[in-house]
Amino acid sequence: MKFSKRVVFVNTLIVIIPLFILLVFFTVNGLKRQLENSRKSAVDILNASVSQINEKMETFNLLETLIKTNETIRLYFISPQSYDEEEVISILMEESRYMESAAKITPYLYSMRLFALDPSIPERWPIILQASRLTENDKKEWSFNYHADYLGNQNAAKMPSVCRTREIYKNHKLICYMQIAVKMEDFFPLAYAELKDDNYEFVLQEITYSDDSKRLENISSLERNTQGYVLTNKERSSLQHLIMDSGKTSGVSTLNSWNQIVAWQYIPQMNIYMVHLNLGRDLAKELWMDLSLIVLGIVGFIWLMIFAVRFITNNLLSGIYTLIEGMQKVRQGDYTAKITVNSLDEVGQSQETFNEMTKQLSEQIDQIKKEQSLIADTEMKAMQNQINAHFLYNVLETIRMQAVLADQDEIAESLQILGKMMRYCLRWRVHRVSLNQEIEYIRSYVYILNIRNDYKITLEIDIPEEYMDIEIPKMTLQPLIENAFVHAIEATEADATLKIFAEMSPDKSRIYLSVEDFGCGMEEEVVKKIENYLADSQYERDSTGSIGLKNIQQRLSVFYGDDYKVRIESKVGEGTIISVPVPNVRSES
């Protein structure tokens, strides 16, 4: 953000923040009062509904007690064969009238029935029936939206109801089932009533599974009411999770948004949750309207403040803007950036100072580049000059001896090979060559070694043809061959073998070029000493016996970076392998 914008922003906040705090304070307090009133109203309505349900359940308990304490009907149901026909008719008529009377004088009671297990007991419709008419589903303790389908064409007795089915025993023997039912709209009046202000009643049934996990399911038929509101899938899921996550049997909270109030209470006797939902849409509309007007007023005032402060700050800070733009150019790499000096005050002096700084910085950077280039070139030449020049004198001495002891053809061949070697060695302007060129030089080098000595050195090349055109630093493998000859072959003065092979790294970014001898090898302490010497970033200062390796390591660091390290593997009595990593890059020559 520009400096001027920050100034505008800060000055605007000085005025806006107090107004905003007051707005938030009054808005939040008003919202809290509205929410508390809505929550209290939802709890009161729910408590009234639960109270009515408890009254009906108490009525169920009283009627059940009347039946259980009726010894006449219980004795008859357990041993009907002990009564004659007249006694049976009398008992059935008297008990049927008794149960019908109890149903009529009990508020909201829809029906009361007994289902006898003994098939010899005659039916007295619709009060006393055979238990064979009941299905297993009909025998559940509580059923909702229950339809007495076994009553045939008596549609008036088949209205959806809340039905409680209990087992009646005599002398620990099940003798009958008792059903007491109340119409759904009478048992849950608030779920079917015309409530106002977006208030709705719902019933949730708790289902328990064998793994003791619990899930809440809506009884779909109880979702309806005279206003026609039905829970959406999102509301149903949120409602169920809200109750389960709370871990409480009763409570009040918000659903989905701040204005949807939910109150719930668990009724353990029926294993259901009664839920009251207040959508609060009217409340939300009023609050959002007031809040929108306040926000629009503040936004208009803020814009007015921004334009006023911006106009003033732009005039005062125009010189600072040009200074900031120049700094941004320098940050992006333009070290020659210059800005226009448009005043004589402190800002103008800062502009002049900036121009002087960029001028000096540009000159210093150019000087550093020249020095670095010179240092790099000097270091490269210094490393190249470390190649052992005594080798060429030894070769010339060997050729002189050949002139005395051998024929002229052999001398000519030796001179030809020597010429190739000298041309290869003395072309110092060429710092990188192909692997194939380095291998050809090594072949010539080994050829000369075989001329000098009475024993024979066999050179084995195990490098795939596709690696032969990779680019490597010049004279990378020759010092390795020389070290192998001096330390592993020359002391024994016996026929020997040197092997050159190549391996690709797992990520295929590097190729390791290795020289292996089969000499006496080195102790682990010696290998460690050489590795420490190679890890030293200083140029070699003494003759430790591994000058060639140090030369190679220094050139690898200059060309490719410090993570290109020479690798040494050696076992006493088996030989030594020295590996040099180079990038997997093809030579252009």
Side-chain angles (χ1 to χ4, degrees):
M1 181 184 293
K2 288 186 176 181
F3 180 76
S4 61
K5 292 183 178 180
R6 290 201 303 271
V7 173
V8 173
F9 182 75
V10 170
N11 284 278
T12 304
L13 287 181
I14 293 174
V15 179
I16 295 302
I17 288 179
L19 295 177
F20 183 77
I21 292 175
L22 290 176
L23 170 66
V24 172
F25 176 80
F26 288 111
T27 302
V28 169
N29 282 339
L31 180 59
K32 285 183 178 180
R33 287 195 298 271
Q34 291 287 353
L35 288 176
E36 289 300 323
N37 292 336
S38 299
R39 290 161 70 98
K40 186 177 183 301
S41 175
V43 172
D44 292 341
I45 295 175
L46 179 64
N47 288 338
S49 178
V50 173
S51 178
Q52 294 181 14
I53 293 173
N54 288 331
E55 290 177 3
K56 296 179 179 64
M57 286 195 296
E58 185 63 28
T59 301
F60 280 28
N61 293 333
L62 291 174
L63 292 173
E64 182 181 339
T65 302
L66 289 176
I67 299 300
K68 287 183 176 180
T69 57
N70 189 333
E71 288 297 322
T72 301
I73 194 69
R74 293 174 69 197
L75 289 173
Y76 170 65
F77 273 37
I78 196 171
S79 57
Q81 63 276 5
S82 61
Y83 295 86
D84 58 27
E85 184 175 352
E86 291 183 359
E87 291 176 325
V88 169
I89 294 174
S90 176
I91 291 173
L92 291 177
M93 293 181 64
E94 182 178 349
E95 295 302 325
S96 297
R97 283 196 297 269
Y98 174 74
M99 294 177 64
E100 287 176 345
S101 298
K104 288 180 180 179
I105 64 174
T106 304
Y108 305 113
L109 189 65
Y110 180 46
S111 64
M112 185 167 61
R113 292 180 283 271
L114 295 177
F115 295 86
L117 268 73
D118 194 322
S120 63
I121 297 176
E123 295 183 326
R124 175 71 177 176
W125 284 70
I127 304 299
I128 300 175
L129 304 170
Q130 283 291 321
S132 58
R133 295 182 180 275
L134 296 176
T135 65
E136 289 300 320
N137 192 53
D138 294 329
K139 296 177 183 179
K140 294 191 302 183
E141 181 178 0
W142 290 99
S143 298
F144 303 95
N145 285 314
Y146 183 77
H147 294 269
D149 295 329
Y150 46 78
L151 295 180
N153 59 1
Q154 297 185 17
N155 294 329
K158 296 164 63 175
M159 296 290 289
S161 61
V162 176
C163 181
R164 182 177 182 179
T165 303
R166 300 298 298 272
E167 298 174 340
I168 305 299
Y169 290 86
K170 175 66 176 177
N171 298 333
H172 304 290
K173 179 182 178 181
L174 179 63
I175 59 175
C176 67
Y177 294 95
M178 179 182 68
Q179 276 191 353
I180 302 174
V182 175
K183 291 181 181 179
M184 292 286 292
E185 59 189 36
D186 292 333
F187 199 90
F188 300 108
L190 294 181
Y192 288 81
E194 293 187 10
L195 300 179
K196 299 179 181 180
D197 300 327
D198 293 331
N199 289 279
Y200 300 94
E201 291 281 329
F202 299 95
V203 180
L204 297 175
Q205 185 178 19
E206 184 180 54
I207 307 297
T208 303
Y209 292 95
S210 59
D211 60 356
D212 294 332
S213 64
K214 293 183 177 181
R215 180 166 62 95
L216 297 178
E217 275 189 7
N218 279 99
I219 305 171
S220 59
S221 58
L222 292 186
E223 291 181 3
R224 70 176 178 82
N225 51 65
T226 54
Q227 292 174 293
Y229 184 79
V230 178
L231 289 173
T232 65
N233 291 333
K234 180 180 179 181
E235 289 174 332
R236 182 183 297 109
S237 176
S238 300
L239 182 61
Q240 293 170 357
H241 282 92
L242 173 65
I243 297 175
M244 285 188 293
D245 294 341
S246 70
K248 298 179 181 178
T249 57
S250 64
V252 60
S253 184
T254 56
L255 178 68
N256 294 330
S257 61
W258 62 268
N259 60 314
Q260 290 188 347
I261 308 299
V262 177
W264 72 90
Q265 185 169 336
Y266 181 61
I267 303 178
Q269 297 91 331
M270 302 180 69
N271 196 30
I272 62 172
Y273 282 89
M274 287 301 299
V275 180
H276 179 83
L277 175 63
N278 182 352
L279 298 182
R281 287 177 290 204
D282 294 337
L283 171 64
K285 289 179 181 178
E286 293 177 3
L287 289 177
W288 282 116
M289 183 65 70
D290 295 340
L291 187 61
S292 298
L293 292 175
I294 295 174
V295 170
L296 287 175
I298 291 179
V299 170
F301 181 75
I302 289 175
W303 277 110
L304 181 62
M305 290 290 298
I306 290 175
F307 282 117
V309 176
R310 185 175 181 179
F311 177 79
I312 296 173
T313 54
N314 282 338
N315 289 334
L316 293 176
L317 303 177
S318 58
I320 295 179
Y321 295 159
T322 58
L323 188 60
I324 294 174
E325 291 175 358
M327 293 179 179
Q328 290 176 344
K329 291 180 181 179
V330 172
R331 184 180 181 181
Q332 295 171 358
D334 184 5
Y335 301 114
T336 61
K338 289 186 179 182
I339 58 177
T340 303
V341 179
N342 51 19
S343 65
L344 299 177
D345 54 13
E346 294 85 352
V347 175
Q349 294 176 3
S350 299
Q351 292 171 334
E352 291 179 352
T353 302
F354 174 84
N355 290 336
E356 289 295 327
M357 290 174 58
T358 55
K359 180 180 179 181
Q360 293 177 7
L361 181 62
S362 179
E363 292 174 352
Q364 290 176 356
I365 290 175
D366 290 339
Q367 181 64 26
I368 291 172
K369 288 182 178 179
K370 293 178 181 178
E371 291 176 356
Q372 288 180 341
S373 177
L374 179 60
I375 290 172
D377 185 62
T378 302
E379 289 178 347
M380 182 58 64
K381 290 179 179 179
M383 286 187 292
Q384 291 172 344
N385 289 334
Q386 291 177 2
I387 302 301
N388 191 351
H390 290 86
F391 172 74
L392 296 179
Y393 296 106
N394 292 334
V395 172
L396 291 176
E397 179 64 20
T398 300
I399 295 175
R400 188 184 68 80
M401 294 300 297
Q402 283 183 320
V404 176
L405 303 175
D407 297 331
Q408 293 183 358
D409 292 339
E410 192 173 343
I411 294 175
E413 183 178 2
S414 298
L415 288 173
Q416 182 183 10
I417 293 174
L418 176 60
K420 290 172 57 179
M421 294 177 63
M422 293 182 67
R423 283 192 298 272
Y424 185 83
C425 291
L426 298 178
R427 291 172 60 196
W428 290 117
R429 292 186 178 180
V430 179
H431 302 311
R432 294 179 176 87
V433 295
S434 68
L435 176 58
N436 185 57
Q437 291 173 315
E438 184 80 0
I439 293 297
E440 286 299 319
Y441 175 75
I442 290 174
R443 292 183 192 274
S444 300
Y445 180 79
V446 173
Y447 175 85
I448 297 298
L449 289 178
N450 284 329
I451 292 175
R452 289 178 52 191
N453 302 295
D454 297 333
Y455 47 88
K456 181 178 181 181
I457 300 174
T458 302
L459 180 65
E460 293 183 1
I461 308 295
D462 185 16
I463 299 177
E465 186 64 30
E466 60 268 22
Y467 293 174
M468 285 299 185
D469 60 347
I470 65 170
E471 182 181 79
I472 66 172
K474 188 177 181 180
M475 300 295 283
T476 296
L477 298 181
Q478 187 275 339
L480 303 183
I481 296 295
E482 183 178 356
N483 279 351
F485 169 73
V486 172
H487 298 290
I489 300 176
E490 190 173 32
T492 63
E493 296 186 354
D495 292 351
T497 299
L498 294 177
K499 182 178 180 180
I500 302 176
F501 59 93
E503 294 177 332
M504 181 75 74
S505 64
D507 60 359
K508 298 184 179 181
S509 65
R510 301 180 183 182
I511 296 177
Y512 284 86
L513 304 177
S514 303
V515 173
E516 180 179 9
D517 66 64
F518 302 92
C520 58
M522 293 183 288
E523 298 285 348
E524 185 176 351
E525 293 79 6
V526 177
V527 174
K528 189 65 176 177
K529 183 178 179 181
I530 296 175
E531 289 177 342
N532 292 336
Y533 174 69
L534 295 179
D536 185 2
S537 60
Q538 297 296 324
Y539 291 147
E540 55 195 32
R541 299 181 183 276
D542 52 34
S543 54
T544 62
S546 57
I547 296 177
L549 288 180
K550 188 61 176 285
N551 184 279
I552 293 172
Q553 182 60 72
Q554 290 170 350
R555 286 191 288 153
L556 288 175
S557 299
V558 171
F559 281 127
Y560 309 126
D562 292 337
D563 59 334
Y564 279 76
K565 302 292 185 181
V566 174
R567 188 172 62 193
I568 304 174
E569 303 173 50
S570 185
K571 291 184 179 180
V572 176
E574 296 184 12
T576 302
I577 300 176
I578 300 180
S579 302
V580 178
V582 294
N584 185 13
V585 178
R586 306 304 171 184
S587 174
E588 298 179 358
S589 59

